Structures are given as C-alpha cells and as structure tokens.
PDB file of all heavy atoms in Angstrom:
ATOM      1  N   ALA A   1      83.536  98.554 147.456  1.00  0.00           N
ATOM      2  CA  ALA A   1      84.661  98.748 146.518  1.00  0.00           C
ATOM      3  C   ALA A   1      85.779  99.523 147.244  1.00  0.00           C
ATOM      4  O   ALA A   1      85.520 100.218 148.228  1.00  0.00           O
ATOM      5  CB  ALA A   1      84.194  99.536 145.316  1.00  0.00           C
ATOM      6  N   PRO A   2      86.998  99.418 146.769  1.00  0.00           N
ATOM      7  CA  PRO A   2      88.103 100.116 147.434  1.00  0.00           C
ATOM      8  C   PRO A   2      87.829 101.622 147.544  1.00  0.00           C
ATOM      9  O   PRO A   2      87.473 102.266 146.566  1.00  0.00           O
ATOM     10  CB  PRO A   2      89.293  99.841 146.465  1.00  0.00           C
ATOM     11  CG  PRO A   2      88.943  98.552 145.822  1.00  0.00           C
ATOM     12  CD  PRO A   2      87.448  98.564 145.677  1.00  0.00           C
ATOM     13  N   GLY A   3      88.019 102.157 148.732  1.00  0.00           N
ATOM     14  CA  GLY A   3      87.859 103.578 148.967  1.00  0.00           C
ATOM     15  C   GLY A   3      86.435 104.069 149.025  1.00  0.00           C
ATOM     16  O   GLY A   3      86.152 105.263 149.115  1.00  0.00           O
ATOM     17  N   LYS A   4      85.469 103.117 149.010  1.00  0.00           N
ATOM     18  CA  LYS A   4      84.044 103.507 149.056  1.00  0.00           C
ATOM     19  C   LYS A   4      83.373 102.849 150.230  1.00  0.00           C
ATOM     20  O   LYS A   4      83.829 101.893 150.787  1.00  0.00           O
ATOM     21  CB  LYS A   4      83.366 103.092 147.750  1.00  0.00           C
ATOM     22  CG  LYS A   4      83.871 103.824 146.523  1.00  0.00           C
ATOM     23  CD  LYS A   4      83.052 103.491 145.290  1.00  0.00           C
ATOM     24  CE  LYS A   4      83.544 104.286 144.084  1.00  0.00           C
ATOM     25  NZ  LYS A   4      82.721 103.967 142.859  1.00  0.00           N
ATOM     26  N   GLN A   5      82.191 103.398 150.595  1.00  0.00           N
ATOM     27  CA  GLN A   5      81.400 102.834 151.668  1.00  0.00           C
ATOM     28  C   GLN A   5      80.690 101.559 151.211  1.00  0.00           C
ATOM     29  O   GLN A   5      80.375 101.393 150.022  1.00  0.00           O
ATOM     30  CB  GLN A   5      80.373 103.865 152.142  1.00  0.00           C
ATOM     31  CG  GLN A   5      80.992 104.998 152.934  1.00  0.00           C
ATOM     32  CD  GLN A   5      79.914 105.857 153.615  1.00  0.00           C
ATOM     33  OE1 GLN A   5      78.805 105.980 153.122  1.00  0.00           O
ATOM     34  NE2 GLN A   5      80.279 106.436 154.738  1.00  0.00           N
ATOM     35  N   ARG A   6      80.396 100.707 152.144  1.00  0.00           N
ATOM     36  CA  ARG A   6      79.616  99.520 151.859  1.00  0.00           C
ATOM     37  C   ARG A   6      78.206  99.949 151.466  1.00  0.00           C
ATOM     38  O   ARG A   6      77.598 100.843 152.102  1.00  0.00           O
ATOM     39  CB  ARG A   6      79.582  98.592 153.058  1.00  0.00           C
ATOM     40  CG  ARG A   6      78.965  97.268 152.838  1.00  0.00           C
ATOM     41  CD  ARG A   6      79.118  96.427 154.097  1.00  0.00           C
ATOM     42  NE  ARG A   6      80.478  95.995 154.332  1.00  0.00           N
ATOM     43  CZ  ARG A   6      81.024  95.844 155.546  1.00  0.00           C
ATOM     44  NH1 ARG A   6      80.303  96.107 156.618  1.00  0.00           N
ATOM     45  NH2 ARG A   6      82.260  95.418 155.647  1.00  0.00           N
ATOM     46  N   GLN A   7      77.652  99.301 150.417  1.00  0.00           N
ATOM     47  CA  GLN A   7      76.318  99.658 149.976  1.00  0.00           C
ATOM     48  C   GLN A   7      75.463  98.413 149.744  1.00  0.00           C
ATOM     49  O   GLN A   7      76.030  97.353 149.421  1.00  0.00           O
ATOM     50  CB  GLN A   7      76.388 100.469 148.666  1.00  0.00           C
ATOM     51  CG  GLN A   7      77.019  99.755 147.546  1.00  0.00           C
ATOM     52  CD  GLN A   7      77.043 100.537 146.218  1.00  0.00           C
ATOM     53  OE1 GLN A   7      77.337 100.027 145.176  1.00  0.00           O
ATOM     54  NE2 GLN A   7      76.710 101.811 146.255  1.00  0.00           N
ATOM     55  N   LEU A   8      74.185  98.585 149.858  1.00  0.00           N
ATOM     56  CA  LEU A   8      73.278  97.458 149.600  1.00  0.00           C
ATOM     57  C   LEU A   8      73.154  97.219 148.084  1.00  0.00           C
ATOM     58  O   LEU A   8      72.976  98.142 147.311  1.00  0.00           O
ATOM     59  CB  LEU A   8      71.885  97.741 150.160  1.00  0.00           C
ATOM     60  CG  LEU A   8      70.839  96.653 149.936  1.00  0.00           C
ATOM     61  CD1 LEU A   8      71.118  95.470 150.771  1.00  0.00           C
ATOM     62  CD2 LEU A   8      69.429  97.204 150.160  1.00  0.00           C
ATOM     63  N   VAL A   9      73.221  95.973 147.690  1.00  0.00           N
ATOM     64  CA  VAL A   9      73.059  95.569 146.286  1.00  0.00           C
ATOM     65  C   VAL A   9      71.668  95.026 146.066  1.00  0.00           C
ATOM     66  O   VAL A   9      70.990  95.404 145.063  1.00  0.00           O
ATOM     67  CB  VAL A   9      74.132  94.507 145.893  1.00  0.00           C
ATOM     68  CG1 VAL A   9      73.876  94.010 144.511  1.00  0.00           C
ATOM     69  CG2 VAL A   9      75.522  95.104 146.030  1.00  0.00           C
ATOM     70  N   ALA A  10      71.231  94.125 146.933  1.00  0.00           N
ATOM     71  CA  ALA A  10      69.918  93.488 146.788  1.00  0.00           C
ATOM     72  C   ALA A  10      69.478  92.948 148.127  1.00  0.00           C
ATOM     73  O   ALA A  10      70.300  92.664 149.004  1.00  0.00           O
ATOM     74  CB  ALA A  10      69.990  92.346 145.744  1.00  0.00           C
ATOM     75  N   ALA A  11      68.163  92.786 148.300  1.00  0.00           N
ATOM     76  CA  ALA A  11      67.622  92.276 149.528  1.00  0.00           C
ATOM     77  C   ALA A  11      66.411  91.360 149.222  1.00  0.00           C
ATOM     78  O   ALA A  11      65.765  91.548 148.192  1.00  0.00           O
ATOM     79  CB  ALA A  11      67.213  93.391 150.480  1.00  0.00           C
ATOM     80  N   ILE A  12      66.158  90.453 150.146  1.00  0.00           N
ATOM     81  CA  ILE A  12      65.042  89.514 149.970  1.00  0.00           C
ATOM     82  C   ILE A  12      64.399  89.225 151.314  1.00  0.00           C
ATOM     83  O   ILE A  12      65.111  88.994 152.301  1.00  0.00           O
ATOM     84  CB  ILE A  12      65.495  88.216 149.284  1.00  0.00           C
ATOM     85  CG1 ILE A  12      64.340  87.338 148.983  1.00  0.00           C
ATOM     86  CG2 ILE A  12      66.584  87.499 150.093  1.00  0.00           C
ATOM     87  CD1 ILE A  12      64.674  86.173 148.025  1.00  0.00           C
ATOM     88  N   THR A  13      63.097  89.255 151.376  1.00  0.00           N
ATOM     89  CA  THR A  13      62.352  88.952 152.633  1.00  0.00           C
ATOM     90  C   THR A  13      62.255  87.457 152.823  1.00  0.00           C
ATOM     91  O   THR A  13      62.456  86.684 151.891  1.00  0.00           O
ATOM     92  CB  THR A  13      60.986  89.573 152.611  1.00  0.00           C
ATOM     93  OG1 THR A  13      60.184  88.892 151.632  1.00  0.00           O
ATOM     94  CG2 THR A  13      61.034  91.056 152.285  1.00  0.00           C
ATOM     95  N   PRO A  14      61.874  87.022 154.045  1.00  0.00           N
ATOM     96  CA  PRO A  14      61.677  85.558 154.199  1.00  0.00           C
ATOM     97  C   PRO A  14      60.636  84.998 153.240  1.00  0.00           C
ATOM     98  O   PRO A  14      60.671  83.825 152.859  1.00  0.00           O
ATOM     99  CB  PRO A  14      61.204  85.458 155.673  1.00  0.00           C
ATOM    100  CG  PRO A  14      61.860  86.620 156.321  1.00  0.00           C
ATOM    101  CD  PRO A  14      61.826  87.735 155.296  1.00  0.00           C
ATOM    102  N   GLY A  15      59.682  85.813 152.808  1.00  0.00           N
ATOM    103  CA  GLY A  15      58.675  85.398 151.878  1.00  0.00           C
ATOM    104  C   GLY A  15      59.043  85.498 150.433  1.00  0.00           C
ATOM    105  O   GLY A  15      58.276  85.092 149.553  1.00  0.00           O
ATOM    106  N   GLY A  16      60.240  86.055 150.158  1.00  0.00           N
ATOM    107  CA  GLY A  16      60.714  86.096 148.775  1.00  0.00           C
ATOM    108  C   GLY A  16      60.565  87.422 148.046  1.00  0.00           C
ATOM    109  O   GLY A  16      60.898  87.513 146.856  1.00  0.00           O
ATOM    110  N   ARG A  17      60.112  88.455 148.732  1.00  0.00           N
ATOM    111  CA  ARG A  17      60.017  89.772 148.092  1.00  0.00           C
ATOM    112  C   ARG A  17      61.405  90.360 147.960  1.00  0.00           C
ATOM    113  O   ARG A  17      62.198  90.287 148.902  1.00  0.00           O
ATOM    114  CB  ARG A  17      59.129  90.701 148.891  1.00  0.00           C
ATOM    115  CG  ARG A  17      58.862  92.052 148.246  1.00  0.00           C
ATOM    116  CD  ARG A  17      57.867  92.875 149.017  1.00  0.00           C
ATOM    117  NE  ARG A  17      56.568  92.188 149.052  1.00  0.00           N
ATOM    118  CZ  ARG A  17      55.509  92.679 149.668  1.00  0.00           C
ATOM    119  NH1 ARG A  17      55.606  93.836 150.316  1.00  0.00           N
ATOM    120  NH2 ARG A  17      54.372  92.045 149.652  1.00  0.00           N
ATOM    121  N   THR A  18      61.680  90.949 146.798  1.00  0.00           N
ATOM    122  CA  THR A  18      63.036  91.408 146.538  1.00  0.00           C
ATOM    123  C   THR A  18      63.076  92.900 146.197  1.00  0.00           C
ATOM    124  O   THR A  18      62.083  93.499 145.751  1.00  0.00           O
ATOM    125  CB  THR A  18      63.670  90.648 145.353  1.00  0.00           C
ATOM    126  OG1 THR A  18      62.869  90.825 144.176  1.00  0.00           O
ATOM    127  CG2 THR A  18      63.766  89.156 145.646  1.00  0.00           C
ATOM    128  N   ASN A  19      64.253  93.511 146.418  1.00  0.00           N
ATOM    129  CA  ASN A  19      64.505  94.849 145.884  1.00  0.00           C
ATOM    130  C   ASN A  19      65.989  94.951 145.545  1.00  0.00           C
ATOM    131  O   ASN A  19      66.832  94.216 146.111  1.00  0.00           O
ATOM    132  CB  ASN A  19      64.065  95.956 146.866  1.00  0.00           C
ATOM    133  CG  ASN A  19      64.843  95.955 148.151  1.00  0.00           C
ATOM    134  OD1 ASN A  19      64.636  95.197 149.020  1.00  0.00           O
ATOM    135  ND2 ASN A  19      65.819  96.899 148.234  1.00  0.00           N
ATOM    136  N   TYR A  20      66.315  95.842 144.605  1.00  0.00           N
ATOM    137  CA  TYR A  20      67.630  95.921 144.048  1.00  0.00           C
ATOM    138  C   TYR A  20      68.077  97.354 143.969  1.00  0.00           C
ATOM    139  O   TYR A  20      67.281  98.284 143.738  1.00  0.00           O
ATOM    140  CB  TYR A  20      67.670  95.329 142.650  1.00  0.00           C
ATOM    141  CG  TYR A  20      67.332  93.856 142.583  1.00  0.00           C
ATOM    142  CD1 TYR A  20      66.011  93.459 142.390  1.00  0.00           C
ATOM    143  CD2 TYR A  20      68.327  92.910 142.726  1.00  0.00           C
ATOM    144  CE1 TYR A  20      65.688  92.089 142.367  1.00  0.00           C
ATOM    145  CE2 TYR A  20      68.019  91.539 142.690  1.00  0.00           C
ATOM    146  CZ  TYR A  20      66.704  91.164 142.497  1.00  0.00           C
ATOM    147  OH  TYR A  20      66.416  89.805 142.485  1.00  0.00           O
ATOM    148  N   ALA A  21      69.400  97.573 144.070  1.00  0.00           N
ATOM    149  CA  ALA A  21      69.965  98.843 143.757  1.00  0.00           C
ATOM    150  C   ALA A  21      69.781  99.137 142.254  1.00  0.00           C
ATOM    151  O   ALA A  21      69.801  98.183 141.443  1.00  0.00           O
ATOM    152  CB  ALA A  21      71.455  98.883 144.085  1.00  0.00           C
ATOM    153  N   ASP A  22      69.565 100.384 141.901  1.00  0.00           N
ATOM    154  CA  ASP A  22      69.342 100.736 140.504  1.00  0.00           C
ATOM    155  C   ASP A  22      70.476 100.237 139.619  1.00  0.00           C
ATOM    156  O   ASP A  22      70.233  99.831 138.462  1.00  0.00           O
ATOM    157  CB  ASP A  22      69.177 102.243 140.363  1.00  0.00           C
ATOM    158  CG  ASP A  22      67.872 102.752 140.885  1.00  0.00           C
ATOM    159  OD1 ASP A  22      66.932 101.935 141.112  1.00  0.00           O
ATOM    160  OD2 ASP A  22      67.725 103.952 141.137  1.00  0.00           O
ATOM    161  N   SER A  23      71.678 100.254 140.133  1.00  0.00           N
ATOM    162  CA  SER A  23      72.871  99.924 139.287  1.00  0.00           C
ATOM    163  C   SER A  23      72.891  98.453 138.904  1.00  0.00           C
ATOM    164  O   SER A  23      73.658  98.077 137.986  1.00  0.00           O
ATOM    165  CB  SER A  23      74.147 100.291 140.042  1.00  0.00           C
ATOM    166  OG  SER A  23      74.208  99.578 141.269  1.00  0.00           O
ATOM    167  N   VAL A  24      72.116  97.592 139.558  1.00  0.00           N
ATOM    168  CA  VAL A  24      72.181  96.157 139.241  1.00  0.00           C
ATOM    169  C   VAL A  24      70.856  95.602 138.765  1.00  0.00           C
ATOM    170  O   VAL A  24      70.752  94.410 138.416  1.00  0.00           O
ATOM    171  CB  VAL A  24      72.670  95.318 140.475  1.00  0.00           C
ATOM    172  CG1 VAL A  24      73.995  95.877 140.987  1.00  0.00           C
ATOM    173  CG2 VAL A  24      71.611  95.295 141.561  1.00  0.00           C
ATOM    174  N   LYS A  25      69.819  96.421 138.726  1.00  0.00           N
ATOM    175  CA  LYS A  25      68.507  95.956 138.262  1.00  0.00           C
ATOM    176  C   LYS A  25      68.584  95.376 136.865  1.00  0.00           C
ATOM    177  O   LYS A  25      69.204  95.953 135.983  1.00  0.00           O
ATOM    178  CB  LYS A  25      67.477  97.107 138.314  1.00  0.00           C
ATOM    179  CG  LYS A  25      66.937  97.406 139.675  1.00  0.00           C
ATOM    180  CD  LYS A  25      65.942  98.529 139.615  1.00  0.00           C
ATOM    181  CE  LYS A  25      65.392  98.860 141.015  1.00  0.00           C
ATOM    182  NZ  LYS A  25      64.459 100.001 141.001  1.00  0.00           N
ATOM    183  N   GLY A  26      67.974  94.205 136.679  1.00  0.00           N
ATOM    184  CA  GLY A  26      67.986  93.546 135.366  1.00  0.00           C
ATOM    185  C   GLY A  26      69.218  92.708 135.136  1.00  0.00           C
ATOM    186  O   GLY A  26      69.244  91.951 134.176  1.00  0.00           O
ATOM    187  N   ARG A  27      70.194  92.805 136.003  1.00  0.00           N
ATOM    188  CA  ARG A  27      71.424  92.015 135.831  1.00  0.00           C
ATOM    189  C   ARG A  27      71.653  91.004 136.973  1.00  0.00           C
ATOM    190  O   ARG A  27      72.157  89.915 136.757  1.00  0.00           O
ATOM    191  CB  ARG A  27      72.645  92.950 135.732  1.00  0.00           C
ATOM    192  CG  ARG A  27      72.616  93.917 134.604  1.00  0.00           C
ATOM    193  CD  ARG A  27      73.947  94.678 134.439  1.00  0.00           C
ATOM    194  NE  ARG A  27      74.286  95.476 135.608  1.00  0.00           N
ATOM    195  CZ  ARG A  27      75.397  95.320 136.337  1.00  0.00           C
ATOM    196  NH1 ARG A  27      76.274  94.397 135.978  1.00  0.00           N
ATOM    197  NH2 ARG A  27      75.648  96.091 137.364  1.00  0.00           N
ATOM    198  N   PHE A  28      71.289  91.381 138.175  1.00  0.00           N
ATOM    199  CA  PHE A  28      71.483  90.550 139.368  1.00  0.00           C
ATOM    200  C   PHE A  28      70.132  90.002 139.853  1.00  0.00           C
ATOM    201  O   PHE A  28      69.107  90.665 139.746  1.00  0.00           O
ATOM    202  CB  PHE A  28      72.094  91.371 140.501  1.00  0.00           C
ATOM    203  CG  PHE A  28      73.534  91.801 140.307  1.00  0.00           C
ATOM    204  CD1 PHE A  28      74.160  91.655 139.060  1.00  0.00           C
ATOM    205  CD2 PHE A  28      74.265  92.315 141.364  1.00  0.00           C
ATOM    206  CE1 PHE A  28      75.482  92.053 138.865  1.00  0.00           C
ATOM    207  CE2 PHE A  28      75.564  92.707 141.201  1.00  0.00           C
ATOM    208  CZ  PHE A  28      76.187  92.575 139.961  1.00  0.00           C
ATOM    209  N   THR A  29      70.189  88.807 140.418  1.00  0.00           N
ATOM    210  CA  THR A  29      69.008  88.181 140.981  1.00  0.00           C
ATOM    211  C   THR A  29      69.361  87.587 142.346  1.00  0.00           C
ATOM    212  O   THR A  29      70.273  86.764 142.443  1.00  0.00           O
ATOM    213  CB  THR A  29      68.454  87.083 140.064  1.00  0.00           C
ATOM    214  OG1 THR A  29      68.141  87.616 138.773  1.00  0.00           O
ATOM    215  CG2 THR A  29      67.180  86.490 140.670  1.00  0.00           C
ATOM    216  N   ILE A  30      68.599  88.006 143.367  1.00  0.00           N
ATOM    217  CA  ILE A  30      68.797  87.443 144.709  1.00  0.00           C
ATOM    218  C   ILE A  30      67.742  86.388 144.946  1.00  0.00           C
ATOM    219  O   ILE A  30      66.603  86.529 144.502  1.00  0.00           O
ATOM    220  CB  ILE A  30      68.734  88.581 145.773  1.00  0.00           C
ATOM    221  CG1 ILE A  30      69.140  88.042 147.166  1.00  0.00           C
ATOM    222  CG2 ILE A  30      67.350  89.230 145.813  1.00  0.00           C
ATOM    223  CD1 ILE A  30      69.289  89.157 148.213  1.00  0.00           C
ATOM    224  N   SER A  31      68.145  85.353 145.636  1.00  0.00           N
ATOM    225  CA  SER A  31      67.212  84.275 145.962  1.00  0.00           C
ATOM    226  C   SER A  31      67.645  83.637 147.286  1.00  0.00           C
ATOM    227  O   SER A  31      68.755  83.915 147.783  1.00  0.00           O
ATOM    228  CB  SER A  31      67.149  83.211 144.851  1.00  0.00           C
ATOM    229  OG  SER A  31      68.413  82.613 144.677  1.00  0.00           O
ATOM    230  N   ARG A  32      66.780  82.813 147.836  1.00  0.00           N
ATOM    231  CA  ARG A  32      67.114  82.174 149.117  1.00  0.00           C
ATOM    232  C   ARG A  32      66.552  80.751 149.109  1.00  0.00           C
ATOM    233  O   ARG A  32      65.475  80.500 148.581  1.00  0.00           O
ATOM    234  CB  ARG A  32      66.622  82.975 150.300  1.00  0.00           C
ATOM    235  CG  ARG A  32      65.136  83.168 150.391  1.00  0.00           C
ATOM    236  CD  ARG A  32      64.792  84.288 151.386  1.00  0.00           C
ATOM    237  NE  ARG A  32      65.032  83.873 152.772  1.00  0.00           N
ATOM    238  CZ  ARG A  32      65.153  84.716 153.790  1.00  0.00           C
ATOM    239  NH1 ARG A  32      65.118  86.008 153.576  1.00  0.00           N
ATOM    240  NH2 ARG A  32      65.357  84.276 155.021  1.00  0.00           N
ATOM    241  N   ASP A  33      67.260  79.880 149.813  1.00  0.00           N
ATOM    242  CA  ASP A  33      66.833  78.519 150.061  1.00  0.00           C
ATOM    243  C   ASP A  33      66.641  78.361 151.544  1.00  0.00           C
ATOM    244  O   ASP A  33      67.641  78.190 152.265  1.00  0.00           O
ATOM    245  CB  ASP A  33      67.870  77.530 149.482  1.00  0.00           C
ATOM    246  CG  ASP A  33      67.394  76.073 149.574  1.00  0.00           C
ATOM    247  OD1 ASP A  33      66.572  75.768 150.452  1.00  0.00           O
ATOM    248  OD2 ASP A  33      67.852  75.281 148.765  1.00  0.00           O
ATOM    249  N   ASN A  34      65.448  78.419 151.974  1.00  0.00           N
ATOM    250  CA  ASN A  34      65.189  78.407 153.411  1.00  0.00           C
ATOM    251  C   ASN A  34      65.594  77.084 154.061  1.00  0.00           C
ATOM    252  O   ASN A  34      65.968  77.059 155.242  1.00  0.00           O
ATOM    253  CB  ASN A  34      63.713  78.690 153.719  1.00  0.00           C
ATOM    254  CG  ASN A  34      63.334  80.139 153.351  1.00  0.00           C
ATOM    255  OD1 ASN A  34      64.172  81.026 153.375  1.00  0.00           O
ATOM    256  ND2 ASN A  34      62.097  80.337 152.999  1.00  0.00           N
ATOM    257  N   ALA A  35      65.564  76.008 153.311  1.00  0.00           N
ATOM    258  CA  ALA A  35      65.898  74.675 153.847  1.00  0.00           C
ATOM    259  C   ALA A  35      67.433  74.569 154.091  1.00  0.00           C
ATOM    260  O   ALA A  35      67.873  73.822 154.923  1.00  0.00           O
ATOM    261  CB  ALA A  35      65.476  73.575 152.901  1.00  0.00           C
ATOM    262  N   LYS A  36      68.195  75.379 153.372  1.00  0.00           N
ATOM    263  CA  LYS A  36      69.638  75.328 153.487  1.00  0.00           C
ATOM    264  C   LYS A  36      70.210  76.557 154.192  1.00  0.00           C
ATOM    265  O   LYS A  36      71.437  76.718 154.260  1.00  0.00           O
ATOM    266  CB  LYS A  36      70.287  75.216 152.106  1.00  0.00           C
ATOM    267  CG  LYS A  36      69.918  73.960 151.384  1.00  0.00           C
ATOM    268  CD  LYS A  36      70.621  73.898 150.015  1.00  0.00           C
ATOM    269  CE  LYS A  36      70.287  72.613 149.270  1.00  0.00           C
ATOM    270  NZ  LYS A  36      70.975  72.510 147.961  1.00  0.00           N
ATOM    271  N   ASN A  37      69.353  77.436 154.673  1.00  0.00           N
ATOM    272  CA  ASN A  37      69.831  78.675 155.330  1.00  0.00           C
ATOM    273  C   ASN A  37      70.823  79.417 154.417  1.00  0.00           C
ATOM    274  O   ASN A  37      71.835  79.981 154.897  1.00  0.00           O
ATOM    275  CB  ASN A  37      70.466  78.396 156.671  1.00  0.00           C
ATOM    276  CG  ASN A  37      69.485  77.856 157.687  1.00  0.00           C
ATOM    277  OD1 ASN A  37      68.276  77.957 157.504  1.00  0.00           O
ATOM    278  ND2 ASN A  37      69.962  77.287 158.779  1.00  0.00           N
ATOM    279  N   THR A  38      70.530  79.468 153.165  1.00  0.00           N
ATOM    280  CA  THR A  38      71.468  80.034 152.193  1.00  0.00           C
ATOM    281  C   THR A  38      70.784  81.084 151.348  1.00  0.00           C
ATOM    282  O   THR A  38      69.623  80.924 150.898  1.00  0.00           O
ATOM    283  CB  THR A  38      72.037  78.946 151.293  1.00  0.00           C
ATOM    284  OG1 THR A  38      72.671  77.965 152.101  1.00  0.00           O
ATOM    285  CG2 THR A  38      73.045  79.509 150.308  1.00  0.00           C
ATOM    286  N   VAL A  39      71.483  82.177 151.108  1.00  0.00           N
ATOM    287  CA  VAL A  39      71.029  83.220 150.202  1.00  0.00           C
ATOM    288  C   VAL A  39      72.021  83.306 149.064  1.00  0.00           C
ATOM    289  O   VAL A  39      73.216  83.142 149.243  1.00  0.00           O
ATOM    290  CB  VAL A  39      70.848  84.579 150.931  1.00  0.00           C
ATOM    291  CG1 VAL A  39      72.158  85.038 151.519  1.00  0.00           C
ATOM    292  CG2 VAL A  39      70.294  85.616 149.991  1.00  0.00           C
ATOM    293  N   TYR A  40      71.496  83.478 147.842  1.00  0.00           N
ATOM    294  CA  TYR A  40      72.323  83.497 146.616  1.00  0.00           C
ATOM    295  C   TYR A  40      72.221  84.874 145.919  1.00  0.00           C
ATOM    296  O   TYR A  40      71.261  85.599 146.089  1.00  0.00           O
ATOM    297  CB  TYR A  40      71.811  82.432 145.639  1.00  0.00           C
ATOM    298  CG  TYR A  40      71.806  81.043 146.186  1.00  0.00           C
ATOM    299  CD1 TYR A  40      70.642  80.496 146.691  1.00  0.00           C
ATOM    300  CD2 TYR A  40      72.974  80.255 146.261  1.00  0.00           C
ATOM    301  CE1 TYR A  40      70.613  79.199 147.198  1.00  0.00           C
ATOM    302  CE2 TYR A  40      72.963  78.966 146.759  1.00  0.00           C
ATOM    303  CZ  TYR A  40      71.760  78.456 147.222  1.00  0.00           C
ATOM    304  OH  TYR A  40      71.763  77.190 147.737  1.00  0.00           O
ATOM    305  N   LEU A  41      73.250  85.160 145.143  1.00  0.00           N
ATOM    306  CA  LEU A  41      73.218  86.324 144.257  1.00  0.00           C
ATOM    307  C   LEU A  41      73.751  85.893 142.896  1.00  0.00           C
ATOM    308  O   LEU A  41      74.951  85.627 142.752  1.00  0.00           O
ATOM    309  CB  LEU A  41      74.052  87.474 144.829  1.00  0.00           C
ATOM    310  CG  LEU A  41      73.928  88.777 144.054  1.00  0.00           C
ATOM    311  CD1 LEU A  41      72.524  89.358 144.202  1.00  0.00           C
ATOM    312  CD2 LEU A  41      74.965  89.816 144.535  1.00  0.00           C
ATOM    313  N   GLN A  42      72.831  85.780 141.945  1.00  0.00           N
ATOM    314  CA  GLN A  42      73.236  85.497 140.556  1.00  0.00           C
ATOM    315  C   GLN A  42      73.550  86.822 139.888  1.00  0.00           C
ATOM    316  O   GLN A  42      72.704  87.689 139.808  1.00  0.00           O
ATOM    317  CB  GLN A  42      72.109  84.768 139.832  1.00  0.00           C
ATOM    318  CG  GLN A  42      72.370  84.500 138.360  1.00  0.00           C
ATOM    319  CD  GLN A  42      73.515  83.470 138.184  1.00  0.00           C
ATOM    320  OE1 GLN A  42      73.567  82.463 138.863  1.00  0.00           O
ATOM    321  NE2 GLN A  42      74.436  83.757 137.256  1.00  0.00           N
ATOM    322  N   MET A  43      74.759  86.899 139.379  1.00  0.00           N
ATOM    323  CA  MET A  43      75.243  88.169 138.745  1.00  0.00           C
ATOM    324  C   MET A  43      75.542  87.912 137.275  1.00  0.00           C
ATOM    325  O   MET A  43      76.452  87.139 136.995  1.00  0.00           O
ATOM    326  CB  MET A  43      76.450  88.709 139.506  1.00  0.00           C
ATOM    327  CG  MET A  43      76.239  88.863 140.980  1.00  0.00           C
ATOM    328  SD  MET A  43      77.641  89.675 141.801  1.00  0.00           S
ATOM    329  CE  MET A  43      78.932  88.468 141.523  1.00  0.00           C
ATOM    330  N   ASN A  44      74.814  88.555 136.413  1.00  0.00           N
ATOM    331  CA  ASN A  44      75.001  88.404 134.967  1.00  0.00           C
ATOM    332  C   ASN A  44      75.430  89.776 134.387  1.00  0.00           C
ATOM    333  O   ASN A  44      75.251  90.820 135.031  1.00  0.00           O
ATOM    334  CB  ASN A  44      73.711  87.939 134.290  1.00  0.00           C
ATOM    335  CG  ASN A  44      73.270  86.576 134.813  1.00  0.00           C
ATOM    336  OD1 ASN A  44      74.100  85.745 135.147  1.00  0.00           O
ATOM    337  ND2 ASN A  44      71.957  86.373 134.820  1.00  0.00           N
ATOM    338  N   SER A  45      75.966  89.708 133.173  1.00  0.00           N
ATOM    339  CA  SER A  45      76.373  90.946 132.477  1.00  0.00           C
ATOM    340  C   SER A  45      77.240  91.826 133.381  1.00  0.00           C
ATOM    341  O   SER A  45      77.004  93.040 133.502  1.00  0.00           O
ATOM    342  CB  SER A  45      75.137  91.742 132.018  1.00  0.00           C
ATOM    343  OG  SER A  45      74.321  90.929 131.183  1.00  0.00           O
ATOM    344  N   LEU A  46      78.212  91.222 133.990  1.00  0.00           N
ATOM    345  CA  LEU A  46      79.061  91.934 134.937  1.00  0.00           C
ATOM    346  C   LEU A  46      79.850  93.039 134.284  1.00  0.00           C
ATOM    347  O   LEU A  46      80.265  92.906 133.110  1.00  0.00           O
ATOM    348  CB  LEU A  46      79.979  90.977 135.673  1.00  0.00           C
ATOM    349  CG  LEU A  46      79.294  90.153 136.770  1.00  0.00           C
ATOM    350  CD1 LEU A  46      80.122  88.899 137.115  1.00  0.00           C
ATOM    351  CD2 LEU A  46      79.090  91.016 138.004  1.00  0.00           C
TER     352      LEU A  46
END
C-alpha cells in the first residue's frame, strides 16, 4: 500500500498447503494450477 512496506498476503506450497495473513483469513483464497504455471488469489468481501 502507499507509504507502507510490502507484506505477504497468502502463500501456497507446490503440494497445495496454504497460509494467510490474519487480515485476509476467511476472505481470500490462494490456489495454483501447476499445468499452467499460474497462481491465483480469489479476494472476496474486499
């Protein structure tokens, strides 16, 4: 965010294990498609 340091929001291992910052738990979902080399972040209740 403007004037702030970069911070981790969510992370996912190659096997699919996830962890989230407390501020986004229950609202954001991280996922990955290994076939497409793509990682997603679904953000709800913004």
